[in-house]
Amino acid sequence: MPFRPFLALVLALTLGPTLALPLGAQPPGGVVVSQERLASEAGAQVLREGGSAVDAAVATAFALAVVHPAAGNLGGGGFLLSRPTRGQASFIDFRESAPASAHPRMWLKADGAYDEARHHESLASVGVPGTVAGLREAWRREGRLPWARLVAPAVRLAREGFALSENQAASLAEQLPAFARHAPTLAQFSREGKPLRAGDRLVQRDLARTLQRLAKDWTDFYRGRTAALIVRDMAANGGPITAQDLRGYRPVRREPLRGTYRGFELLAAPPPSSGGQVLIESLNILEGFDLKAAGSGSPAAVHLGAEALRRAFADRAQFLGDPASAGDIPLARLLSKAYAAELRATIRPDRASASDPSRFTWEPDRPHTTHLSVLDRAGNAVSLTYTLEESYGLKRIVPGAGFLLNNELGDFNAVPGLTDATGRIGTVPNLARPGRRPLSSMCPVILVKGGSVVMVSGSPGGRTIPATVLNTVLNVVDFGMGARAAVDAPRFHHQWLPDRIQVEADLPAATREALKAMGHTLKEVPKQGCAQVILVRGGQAEGAADTKRWSDSGVASE
């Protein structure tokens, strides 16, 4: 079959004899939605055994590290947003951090020129991984089943292997030239340098041994045998991460960002993710427009959505970074309804604005992440997004450990002071510094109404992530769609710079032409993001997989 990018198998698993419930009632079953069938089944079985939503998320995430190596990971990082039925919502930041040797000019050559390869393709781009510590912290707070039980499915999948689907095999084959630059990676993901085919079993014995160690003692990753393997690889090849960097890593518990939109409460990601800021700020702006009357996919709805995103992304570039070292981030102002009203007044309903890299004011005129969503039978919800940065990260296996390293420090601004029309940002809040966590666009979100979770959403896709999530929220709240329709509807994105709207190919041609007439520049893409949505609506809990991005989706029920 023709190659289809390794983008998303998403599986919705429904548990219990029925998921019928009125809005605000406790759901009698649970749902797991992720990008791989086997990973979602691992999480679903945990729910069947009485595990919590966090238990299921942890099991699913570890399994994704085996069956979805493009983004599922041990060697990366991310964010976990949890909304329990009892107690306060919480947010675990397990974003990768810069090693002690990091500095703002680390991506420049001796002559001051930007070195893109060093920024994105070298060991210097690897951040101290946070995934294992973050999953453990979430489990410590809200887990019920034993830790080893949650890691066990991943151990089994790595040790015994699993049959590759056509999409998985095509994805690995596409990466063979990159894998060939590092012998351990090529050995793990090929058959003596030849592409694996659909139906072949992918067995990852080194990864299985690493997972077995982590099942017994999670700290092995940061100060045991696994840590030693990481440090040995770094030392032998000029990498910056030291044993001290690994021992010093800590996940951070943060307060979720909170907003409201048309009567719904939103819980979203705080810095160092910009996803929550972009989402809530954009929704605040759009709340003053009648999008329902405009209609889904209409020129007016896309234009207004793009203009809201343009302004939110400009604020992202100017203000957002790691809150530990980026200075005062004016979140209260950025997320206020009054500020949204000011920005709304600068939007012309019939004309595109202009993005100017030299200013952040308005005249009054990589994308390879993975997301999973979980709702358990008690109504507890988890929205988890994590990543290796690019697809397969650095495309480099830690020898003897079997997992891929991230190239996440590529999310730091490249050249201090240089912000240009291509989308390169050089503002101070997101420059590399020791221990700093690079700015992210990940956007796990949970919507609540009447005291109960009604929607869990998220997506991969680099800077397009907040826009993809925004599309799913608008589709549900403004356009009255169910989960399946909300995931399948055409999407759009604007990120301030470069100054253009990205639109999916199935956006109506009439809408595209009308947007051009308003002065917008369009970039057409086949698909954007990979939304993973759970929705409680009309007496039903629905899990929707992004089947338009990945053909192997499926539903399993208890």
Side-chain angles (χ1 to χ4, degrees), residues 266-307:
L266 290 97
L267 302 171
S273 177
S274 63
Q277 169 260 323
V278 170
L279 176 67
I280 294 174
E281 186 174 330
S282 298
L283 288 170
N284 283 345
I285 295 170
L286 293 172
E287 198 167 34
F289 297 111
D290 189 352
L291 297 182
K292 182 177 180 180
S296 172
S298 67
V302 177
H303 166 69
L304 295 172
E307 292 296 328

Side-chain angles (χ1 to χ4, degrees), residues 108-197:
L108 305 184
K109 300 177 183 178
D111 62 0
Y114 171 53
D115 189 340
E116 184 172 1
R118 179 173 174 79
H119 195 189
H120 297 282
E121 299 173 12
S122 74
L123 282 173
S125 69
V126 180
V128 180
T131 292
V132 174
L135 295 178
R136 175 71 181 197
E137 176 63 14
W139 172 83
R140 185 186 70 80
R141 297 181 57 81
E142 298 181 43
R144 293 186 199 140
L145 300 187
W147 172 258
R149 163 63 187 88
L150 305 182
V151 185
V155 173
R156 183 179 65 255
L157 287 165
R159 184 181 61 240
E160 299 177 3
F162 62 96
L164 292 171
S165 69
E166 291 188 4
N167 289 319
Q168 291 167 328
S171 174
L172 292 170
E174 182 195 35
Q175 296 294 334
L176 272 188
F179 293 161
R181 295 195 290 266
H182 188 239
T185 309
L186 184 67
Q188 183 155 318
F189 294 124
S190 72
R191 179 177 290 167
E192 298 181 346
K194 302 296 184 182
L196 293 168
R197 298 180 178 180

Side-chain angles (χ1 to χ4, degrees), residues 374-392:
V374 180
L375 182 71
D376 70 19
R377 63 182 62 249
N380 305 300
V382 169
S383 185
L384 187 159
T385 311
Y386 71 153
T387 185
L388 288 167
E389 176 60 1
E390 295 182 357
S391 186
Y392 299 92

Side-chain angles (χ1 to χ4, degrees), residues 72-410:
N73 68 83
L74 302 181
F79 305 109
L80 186 151
L81 174 64
S82 172
R83 200 273 185 181
T85 55
R86 297 181 180 179
Q88 296 297 312
S90 66
F91 184 86
I92 306 297
D93 167 7
F94 56 97
R95 182 75 159 155
E96 303 91 331
S97 63
S101 60
H103 58 88
R105 300 180 65 82
M106 64 189 293
W107 317 121
L108 305 184
K109 300 177 183 178
D111 62 0
Y114 171 53
D115 189 340
E116 184 172 1
R118 179 173 174 79
H119 195 189
H120 297 282
E121 299 173 12
S122 74
L123 282 173
S125 69
V126 180
V128 180
T131 292
V132 174
L135 295 178
R136 175 71 181 197
E137 176 63 14
W139 172 83
R140 185 186 70 80
R141 297 181 57 81
E142 298 181 43
R144 293 186 199 140
L145 300 187
W147 172 258
R149 163 63 187 88
L150 305 182
V151 185
V155 173
R156 183 179 65 255
L157 287 165
R159 184 181 61 240
E160 299 177 3
F162 62 96
L164 292 171
S165 69
E166 291 188 4
N167 289 319
Q168 291 167 328
S171 174
L172 292 170
E174 182 195 35
Q175 296 294 334
L176 272 188
F179 293 161
R181 295 195 290 266
H182 188 239
T185 309
L186 184 67
Q188 183 155 318
F189 294 124
S190 72
R191 179 177 290 167
E192 298 181 346
K194 302 296 184 182
L196 293 168
R197 298 180 178 180
D200 287 346
R201 295 191 72 78
L202 178 59
V203 177
Q204 301 170 82
R205 294 185 179 87
D206 284 345
L207 179 57
R209 285 187 282 269
T210 295
L211 288 164
Q212 285 175 317
R213 292 193 299 271
L214 298 179
K216 294 177 181 178
D217 179 9
W218 72 276
T219 65
D220 178 81
F221 193 93
Y222 297 95
R223 54 183 63 94
R225 170 66 176 165
T226 304
L229 291 171
I230 297 171
V231 172
R232 184 174 69 183
D233 186 36
M234 289 283 168
N237 296 284
I241 293 176
T242 65
Q244 185 175 356
D245 290 323
L246 287 167
R247 287 196 302 268
Y249 184 86
R250 299 290 186 275
V252 179
R253 182 171 179 253
R254 305 187 188 278
E255 284 298 312
L257 295 189
R258 296 174 184 270
T260 62
Y261 184 64
R262 306 199 195 282
F264 290 83
E265 177 190 0
L266 290 97
L267 302 171
S273 177
S274 63
Q277 169 260 323
V278 170
L279 176 67
I280 294 174
E281 186 174 330
S282 298
L283 288 170
N284 283 345
I285 295 170
L286 293 172
E287 198 167 34
F289 297 111
D290 189 352
L291 297 182
K292 182 177 180 180
S296 172
S298 67
V302 177
H303 166 69
L304 295 172
E307 292 296 328
L309 286 165
R310 183 200 302 269
R311 286 153 176 77
F313 266 97
D315 285 337
R316 173 195 191 271
Q318 185 174 14
F319 297 113
L320 271 286
D322 185 340
S325 53
D328 182 28
I329 302 174
L331 280 174
R333 175 172 178 264
L334 297 179
L335 303 184
S336 71
K337 300 291 187 181
Y339 180 60
E342 294 176 18
L343 293 179
R344 192 182 307 122
T346 70
I347 297 175
R348 289 180 52 175
D350 60 347
R351 195 69 189 166
S353 303
S355 298
D356 186 346
S358 68
R359 63 178 174 85
F360 297 88
T361 57
W362 302 97
E363 300 299 329
D365 173 51
R366 272 167 221 251
H368 300 282
T369 301
T370 189
H371 180 86
L372 62 97
S373 299
V374 180
L375 182 71
D376 70 19
R377 63 182 62 249
N380 305 300
V382 169
S383 185
L384 187 159
T385 311
Y386 71 153
T387 185
L388 288 167
E389 176 60 1
E390 295 182 357
S391 186
Y392 299 92
L394 193 60
K395 302 171 180 63
R396 183 186 179 96
I397 289 284
V398 175
F403 62 85
L404 288 156
L405 290 168
N406 69 83
N407 58 344
E408 201 65 64
L409 300 193

